[in-house]
Amino acid sequence: MTRPRASLVSLSDTPWYHLVTRCVRRAYLCGFDRLTGRSFEHRRGWVELRLRQLAGVFAIDVAAYAVMSNHVHLVVRLDAERASQWSDEEVLRRWRCLFRGPVVVERFLSPATRAGMTEAELDGVAELVATYRARLVDLSWFMRVLNESIARAANREDGVRGRFWEGRFRSQAILDETALLAVMAYVDLNPIRAGIAETPEASAHTGIAARIADLQGDGDEAEAAPQPRQGSSHPPPTPATASTPPETEDTEPTADARRAELWEVALNRLPLAPLMPFGNPAECPATIPFTFDNYLILVDSLGRALHPRKRGAIPAELPDILARLGIAPERFVEHAGFLLKGFGAAIGAPERMTALAAQRECRYLRGVRRAKQFFTAAAATA
């Protein structure tokens, strides 16, 4: 039985969550569909662009993402404190980037008309502000706006109606730093594990590729925009038309021309939000900052240890990095191993891992054992 999202998200326990949303029938609606012979690769760019834009509107940081052919992985951090510090005007302006809202909001945001508003109208605006403030830090609203805009754009391109995503997204709480690093590495390594990329920097539409491009000076907004594809009879829409125009809540949709105009205006207010930086003092000890260079070593090590087609020695720096972070290497490998085997529910619950490993055997267990043997040997010679 499905559980309400409120029972799965608890900011008092953790602000970190791993999200997964999958296309209907697991079809390659964002990749090359072998059954139809059509390529939908450009839609991965839509998802990435929209994701980075929404991160600049909501009080939700994106730490890692991977846009695959038929599903999307996200690692996000909910920042309720930041949302509580926004002024009423800031909350309304952010919400109007996504929806037009009632006329009373337009009157409140205009200094010329605010002075003439009645007390009842001001009370109504205050209620709307409280509602919008809560929504701007809500996972369900974040994923709703992301998924709906992509579904509408894809259906419009195909000339069809109906579902694009198979159902509501899945969310899993990440309870400690060990699990956070493991799930981030798992998400960033997803294209390599799927065999569609050989290195993290070559994996298109992933958070780690965006970070590396930014460090190399290539991470501008144009890189995140959808790119034309070869041999396509349906060229990808421009960013101004690739996503869903804003809509007035609880009203009939406006005319197409008006919708396109409103969306273009709203799009100009949505710059790409940067990925949350590493070494955040709120998440890592201030005396031992976890840098992106360290994270690259960690990802490279897992890619070699846990991927059956990867060969090569694990970098010697990895045990030292994990030790300085106060993370037991064996525990980190167990987290990563269970992620690769699909046991998302085991994140943050290491006491369940041994029993699950005894029940299910898979090809990734061999890589986990190799990594454990390496860490054991490194600890013995230290």
Side-chain angles (χ1 to χ4, degrees), residues 14-92:
T14 177
W16 291 97
Y17 293 88
H18 175 209
L19 314 178
V20 183
T21 183
R22 190 177 295 277
C23 293
V24 67
R25 298 185 304 277
R26 304 195 175 213
Y28 282 9
L29 298 177
C30 294
F32 181 78
D33 192 339
R34 294 182 178 87
L35 294 178
T36 62
R38 293 185 60 188
S39 175
F40 304 103
E41 284 289 334
H42 60 285
R43 293 177 181 172
R44 297 172 63 195
W46 295 359
V47 178
E48 181 179 22
L49 177 65
R50 187 62 165 159
L51 173 66
R52 297 283 296 274
Q53 290 173 340
L54 293 181
V57 176
F58 285 78
I60 296 178
D61 296 313
V62 177
Y65 64 87
V67 185
M68 307 298 288
S69 296
N70 62 0
H71 66 283
V72 179
H73 284 277
L74 303 176
V75 178
V76 299
R77 177 177 182 267
L78 281 63
D79 194 345
E81 182 178 357
R82 188 202 317 168
S84 66
Q85 295 174 353
W86 288 336
S87 65
D88 293 352
E89 291 81 0
E90 178 70 12
V91 170
L92 294 175

Side-chain angles (χ1 to χ4, degrees), residues 79-321:
D79 194 345
E81 182 178 357
R82 188 202 317 168
S84 66
Q85 295 174 353
W86 288 336
S87 65
D88 293 352
E89 291 81 0
E90 178 70 12
V91 170
L92 294 175
R93 288 193 179 97
R94 286 175 178 268
W95 189 253
R96 277 171 53 83
C97 290
L98 307 173
F99 300 96
R100 284 167 56 191
V103 176
V104 68
V105 171
E106 299 182 12
R107 296 184 59 196
F108 181 82
L109 291 176
S110 174
T113 56
R114 183 187 303 183
M117 295 179 64
T118 65
E119 184 176 352
E121 289 176 325
L122 292 175
D123 291 341
V125 171
E127 294 179 1
L128 289 173
V129 168
T131 300
Y132 295 160
R133 194 188 302 274
R135 290 179 179 179
L136 287 173
V137 72
D138 188 279
L139 272 184
S140 295
W141 273 94
F142 181 85
M143 294 301 294
R144 170 183 174 175
V145 177
L146 172 65
N147 287 352
E148 183 178 352
S149 61
I150 301 304
R152 287 179 179 270
N155 286 353
R156 185 164 55 246
E157 182 185 52
D158 293 337
V160 300
R161 300 175 65 183
R163 285 183 176 269
F164 184 86
W165 306 101
E166 69 176 5
R168 70 175 192 166
F169 66 96
R170 292 185 297 161
S171 63
Q172 175 63 49
I174 305 174
L175 302 182
D176 57 26
E177 289 184 0
T178 305
L180 173 62
L181 292 177
V183 73
M184 284 184 62
Y186 165 74
V187 170
D188 285 331
L189 285 171
N190 237 251
I192 298 176
R193 176 179 175 233
I196 62 177
E198 288 297 323
T199 60
E201 59 270 21
S203 56
H205 310 299
T206 62
I208 193 169
R211 292 181 190 274
I212 294 173
D214 187 62
L215 290 175
Q216 295 173 346
D218 300 328
D220 54 18
E221 295 186 12
E223 291 294 327
Q227 298 297 318
R229 37 192 181 102
Q230 300 295 328
S232 171
S233 59
H234 298 278
T238 61
T241 60
S243 304
T244 305
E247 300 176 359
T248 304
E249 295 180 354
D250 303 325
T251 63
E252 293 294 327
T254 59
D256 290 344
R258 177 60 176 162
R259 288 162 64 91
E261 178 184 353
L262 289 171
W263 173 244
E264 186 172 0
V265 172
L267 188 66
N268 292 333
R269 305 175 188 170
L270 302 181
L272 294 184
L275 297 176
M276 202 185 70
F278 285 83
N280 186 343
E283 305 302 328
C284 297
T287 56
I288 313 175
F290 191 79
T291 65
F292 185 56
D293 292 339
N294 289 343
Y295 181 70
L296 286 178
I297 295 175
L298 182 149
V299 169
D300 178 64
S301 303
L302 279 180
R304 295 175 184 275
L306 299 176
H307 199 289
R309 293 195 298 271
K310 290 292 179 180
R311 296 293 182 268
I314 299 176
E317 306 97 312
L318 182 60
D320 180 60
I321 291 174

